[in-house]
Amino acid sequence: MAGQRIIGKKRSESTAFAVILFLSFLLIGVIALFFILINDAAAELTANVNHNHIKIDFFYHGSSVSVGGISEPDTDLIIKITSPEGHEVLKQKGKVAGLLWMNTGTLKFENVPNLYSVHSTKKIDELLYQEEMDKYAIGYPALEKHVEISPVSKEEEKNRWFNEFVKLKESSKLYMSSSGKITTTLKDGKQYYYILTDWPYQAPPGDYIVTVYAVKNRKITEKTDAKVQVEQVGIVKTLSNMAKKKGALYGVISIVAALIAGFGVGLIFRKGGGAH
Amino acid sequence: MYLYLPVALTSINIFIPIGLGLAVGLLSGLFGVGGGFLMTPLLIMFGIPSTVAAATDSNQIVAASTSGTYAHWKVGNVDFKMGLYLLIGGFIGGLFGVQAIKVLRATGNADFVIKMTYVLMLGIVGTYMFIESLASMKKKKTEEVKTEKESIMGRFLKSLPLQTHFEKSGATHSLLIPIVFGGFVGILAAIMGVGGGFLMVPVMVYILRMPMHVVVGTSLFQILFNCIEVTFLQAYTNHNVDFILAVLLLLGSTVGAQVGAVFGRKLKGEQLKIILAVIVLLVTVKIIFELTLSPSIFLAQAGGH
């Protein structure tokens, strides 16, 4: 009897344990489901690039690229388009003998993208904390911290040359920034965003990355990215490859073509000008 | 209408290079200069990278100078013999010039020295030609022959060995003279990174005493060979020649050179000299402005001047 009771007690204990176990699993399940649902809601951010394969042909004069997608309602958006980072060497102009402007040296820029454009729904410094901008290299001040310039001795000198660098890049449309150009519309509890940007013809062939950031309470809550590929095709590709890989042949063809053109025009003028 | 340039990696309105070619080709046919001192900065202004601009210009000059040489040769204004010796000198001078640049770069202040040499050369040559041609235009009326000046320099030049007669130029010189002065121009051209036509023309006029019309034709003839060499080296070692841009430029420049040659025949030697002098002086002034006005952007692509 006593043994049975013990067993009975044990059984009731184990039932209680099973119930607790079940409940805790249920709880974990509910919590997990909750997070999954939240994550699902967060994973709503999508990005589509309509024209993601730009072909440079003979008549190419730049293009346009539109970026659009879905985001959570009431979030702000930042769209960043960049090329992979590289390094650039540029000539530095300075005063010589206190009077004449000329090249006084070279500056090396490390970790700089050749193309960098940032579009946002509002001004970036109103949208994000400084740390967030720095973390994701969004905006010129953040990019400046990310970039290394040598040789510069002081912070203000770096700042000055970085600003010159941006000016140079902006003059060839490779660096760009805008705010308020992204349109957003609410539909079925989702926010649809869209922007149409000019793609500069100065951007060389290569792969470019479009990153879309969703912003809430001055922090980035999610990001997603898409790719834009720029490629030379046809005659442009043939000539460009030949210039790079078969320099001697390319040189000879260029010279022969010039000689023939020169003689050809000379002959035409002899016939045409014979009357004089 | 826009075309994409596969080596310059940029797009350009085709009327810009055709128009530039026409204008610079006209100068080539008229004065026997390559026109690089005008063309290269203009191309850079229209967004062509500086290295591509210089290399492609030399390709274009091959066409313009072929067209121009042909036009001048038809009327007997090319002294092939003189051109050949100038070329030999220029080639040797070029080799020295390239070494001189290396030495200059090592001293660190290369850009300053090069720019200063360029401005001084342009200024001196332009001023001298201007004053001289103005004086000879006035003298023409009184028909004075200037034999006194020639005597000292002339006697020295006549005393050199290897005297030979240059039929087309109507002058007798030692073979060494075109070689040495060709070499001198070659050194300076290599250092300054220009073709040197604006130096070669005065050398032929004032030192070799060639008639202006023969100077133009002969200068074009030797520029042709210089530019073939430069184009090949640029294409082979630096991959900087843009074929499409060169074709657009030569469409204008080959025609311009023919028109220039026709116009040139209608002008007198002194008139040609004085116009060239004015152009050289204008370029000098433009460079001085560039050097003294503060630039809008303090950074530039590497590779140009």
Side-chain angles (χ1 to χ4, degrees):
Chain A
M1 279 296 281
Q4 262 189 344
R5 203 189 278 166
I6 290 166
I7 290 167
K9 195 181 178 187
K10 267 194 180 163
R11 193 177 283 159
S12 64
E13 269 178 3
S14 60
T15 330
F17 182 70
V19 169
I20 290 167
L21 205 66
F22 174 75
L23 283 176
S24 51
F25 270 123
L26 196 69
L27 190 66
I28 292 169
V30 168
I31 291 168
L33 194 68
F34 179 71
F35 273 100
I36 287 167
L37 281 175
I38 282 186
N39 268 338
D40 228 2
E44 250 188 351
L45 184 66
T46 63
N48 294 309
V49 179
N50 83 316
H51 188 181
N52 55 13
H53 190 174
I54 296 172
K55 294 189 179 100
I56 298 182
D57 61 14
F58 206 32
F59 300 102
Y60 179 72
H61 188 58
S63 182
S64 60
V65 161
S66 73
V67 185
I70 302 168
S71 68
E72 232 188 307
D74 303 321
T75 49
D76 278 299
L77 293 152
I78 298 169
I79 298 169
K80 183 172 91 170
I81 308 172
T82 61
S83 61
E85 285 168 9
H87 84 113
E88 287 190 33
V89 178
L90 293 170
K91 283 196 172 178
Q92 198 179 359
K93 283 184 188 166
K95 260 194 173 177
V96 176
L99 182 73
L100 305 170
W101 290 100
M102 49 181 74
N103 298 319
T104 49
T106 53
L107 277 179
K108 233 186 246 168
F109 291 76
E110 298 283 352
N111 310 331
V112 281
N114 181 38
L115 180 133
Y116 182 86
S117 80
V118 173
H119 307 279
S120 50
T121 45
K122 292 179 196 126
K123 280 195 175 156
I124 299 172
D125 34 3
E126 288 169 18
L127 278 182
L128 282 179
Y129 288 121
Q130 189 62 50
E131 310 89 73
E132 289 283 287
M133 290 193 244
D134 294 347
K135 191 174 161 192
Y136 297 96
I138 297 171
Y140 292 149
L143 186 65
E144 185 185 335
K145 284 177 197 162
H146 182 72
V147 168
E148 278 168 43
I149 307 174
S150 64
V152 288
S153 50
K154 282 175 286 180
E155 199 55 35
E156 41 194 282
E157 209 183 327
K158 182 184 176 185
N159 179 259
R160 181 180 162 228
W161 289 113
F162 180 78
N163 289 342
E164 288 298 322
F165 179 77
V166 170
K167 243 201 255 177
L168 183 73
K169 289 287 183 184
E170 281 186 333
S171 72
S172 56
K173 310 249 168 42
L174 288 168
Y175 276 33
M176 227 187 310
S177 66
S178 81
S179 64
K181 277 194 193 158
I182 302 173
T183 55
T184 55
T185 43
L186 267 176
K187 203 173 145 193
D188 305 329
K190 286 173 181 170
Q191 179 173 261
Y192 289 81
Y193 70 90
Y194 178 83
I195 186 168
L196 182 68
T197 62
D198 288 333
W199 189 268
Y201 60 80
Q202 290 93 336
D207 286 340
Y208 295 83
I209 305 146
V210 179
T211 314
V212 181
Y213 301 93
V215 180
K216 233 175 190 177
N217 303 321
R218 309 198 76 181
K219 279 194 166 181
I220 285 168
T221 52
E222 314 160 59
K223 62 167 191 159
T224 179
D225 47 38
K227 231 199 217 173
V228 171
Q229 195 191 4
V230 180
E231 198 189 13
Q232 295 179 326
V233 294
I235 310 174
V236 172
K237 191 179 183 180
T238 314
L239 283 174
S240 165
N241 283 344
M242 199 171 158
K244 274 182 226 144
K245 290 170 194 158
K246 292 176 188 156
L249 179 67
Y250 181 84
V252 170
I253 291 176
S254 305
I255 292 165
V256 171
L259 287 171
I260 292 171
F263 265 119
V265 172
L267 285 173
I268 292 167
F269 266 74
R270 184 163 72 167
K271 281 174 192 162
H276 289 287
Chain B
M1 193 182 139
Y2 289 90
L3 281 189
Y4 190 77
L5 309 173
V7 174
L9 296 178
T10 187
S11 167
I12 198 163
N13 186 334
I14 60 165
F15 296 108
I16 292 171
I18 293 176
L20 289 180
L22 202 63
V24 175
L26 194 74
L27 295 184
S28 269
L30 265 174
F31 307 115
V33 294
F37 61 93
L38 281 176
M39 185 65 100
T40 309
L42 284 169
L43 288 176
I44 294 169
M45 204 177 88
F46 286 108
I48 309 295
S50 48
T51 49
V52 178
T56 306
D57 186 38
S58 65
N59 187 10
Q60 174 277 126
I61 294 174
V62 171
S65 56
T66 304
S67 172
T69 306
Y70 186 82
H72 286 276
W73 168 74
K74 276 186 317 199
V75 288
N77 280 338
V78 180
D79 188 333
F80 289 104
K81 188 176 170 188
M82 182 69 90
L84 190 70
Y85 289 117
L86 287 170
L87 265 175
I88 294 170
F91 181 76
I92 299 167
L95 294 178
F96 278 108
V98 171
Q99 295 306 314
I101 295 177
K102 281 185 190 158
V103 174
L104 274 177
R105 294 239 183 271
T107 63
N109 227 346
D111 274 318
F112 183 76
V113 177
I114 291 169
K115 266 269 154 75
M116 284 297 106
T117 320
Y118 194 34
V119 173
L120 281 177
M121 275 292 154
L122 281 174
I124 293 169
V125 166
T127 312
Y128 181 78
M129 275 181 85
F130 185 79
I131 294 171
E132 191 278 335
S133 42
L134 201 66
S136 67
M137 275 168 125
K138 280 179 189 162
K139 267 186 190 170
K140 265 275 155 78
K141 289 169 192 165
T142 52
E143 285 293 319
E144 260 184 68
V145 194
K146 33 175 181 174
T147 40
E148 301 128 50
K149 263 194 175 179
E150 267 182 10
S151 56
I152 305 164
M153 184 75 170
R155 223 178 293 155
F156 170 70
L157 293 179
K158 290 271 177 328
S159 71
L160 288 167
L162 300 167
Q163 292 286 332
T164 181
H165 184 67
F166 294 92
E167 205 182 308
K168 283 275 158 61
S169 305
T172 303
H173 289 294
S174 160
L175 288 184
L176 295 173
I177 297 171
I179 293 178
V180 166
F181 283 99
F184 171 72
V185 172
I187 292 174
L188 285 175
I191 292 175
M192 295 183 290
V194 293
F198 74 94
L199 288 173
M200 194 58 101
V201 169
V203 161
M204 286 194 255
V205 173
Y206 297 115
I207 294 167
L208 301 175
R209 302 273 166 195
M210 293 161 65
M212 186 62 190
H213 288 96
V214 181
V215 165
V216 174
T218 309
S219 172
L220 284 174
F221 169 73
Q222 69 101 27
I223 283 173
L224 166 62
F225 284 91
N226 272 337
C227 284
I228 287 177
E229 186 199 349
V230 173
T231 305
F232 184 78
L233 289 178
Q234 287 278 13
Y236 184 63
T237 55
N238 299 330
H239 314 288
N240 275 335
V241 175
D242 195 304
F243 184 70
I244 301 294
L245 180 59
V247 168
L248 292 173
L249 289 168
L250 69 81
L251 282 179
S253 70
T254 48
V255 175
Q258 292 288 333
V259 177
V262 171
F263 262 121
R265 264 171 247 154
K266 295 187 175 136
L267 292 173
K268 291 195 187 91
E270 282 71 29
Q271 291 171 318
L272 280 176
K273 273 189 265 176
I274 207 160
I275 302 170
L276 179 60
V278 169
I279 293 171
V280 169
L281 287 175
L282 284 177
V283 173
T284 316
V285 170
K286 188 207 139 221
I287 296 175
I288 290 172
F289 265 114
E290 269 174 10
L291 286 174
T292 48
L293 294 178
S294 81
S296 59
I297 299 176
F298 293 87
L299 284 174
Q301 284 173 322
H305 280 293

